[in-house]
Amino acid sequence: MQVDKVAYKPVGLALGMGAGMVAGALFRQVWKRLGHEDEAPAAGDENRRWGEILVAAALQGAVFSTVRAAVERGGATAAKRLTGKWPG
C-alpha cells in the first residue's frame, strides 16, 4: 500500500463520520419539512404503514448516499490539490 493512501485513511474516516452526522441532520430536516413527525418511523414500528416506512427508508438512503458521495469526492479533490495525487 502506498504511503499517500495510508496517510489519507484517517482523513477519509473522519470525513465519513462527519458526513454521517451531516446526513442524519439533513434527513431529519427533510422529514420534518415533508410534514411528518420529528422522527422517521422505525421498520419495527407496528403502528406505521408499510408505505410510510419504505418512503422514509428510501429517502434516508438517498440523503446519506448523496452526502457521502459529495464529502468523499470533495475530500479526494482537496487531497489532490494538496499533494498532486488522487488518494484512491
Side-chain angles (χ1 to χ4, degrees):
M1 193 177 268
Q2 295 177 352
V3 174
D4 354 344
K5 289 183 181 179
V6 172
Y8 185 74
K9 283 271 188 208
V11 173
L13 288 172
L15 288 173
M17 288 173 44
M21 291 175 12
V22 169
L26 180 60
F27 171 70
R28 283 189 293 278
Q29 290 302 312
V30 169
W31 189 253
K32 281 183 204 179
R33 292 196 195 285
L34 289 175
H36 299 285
E37 296 103 23
D38 289 344
E39 295 290 322
D45 187 346
E46 71 177 330
N47 298 318
R48 301 296 185 101
R49 297 180 322 273
W50 273 88
E52 185 178 15
I53 289 171
L54 295 179
V55 166
L59 180 61
Q60 187 176 31
V63 169
F64 270 81
S65 294
T66 302
V67 170
R68 183 175 152 224
V71 169
E72 284 182 13
R73 184 67 181 205
T77 301
K80 183 174 182 183
R81 284 188 191 137
L82 289 173
T83 66
K85 293 181 182 177
W86 193 259

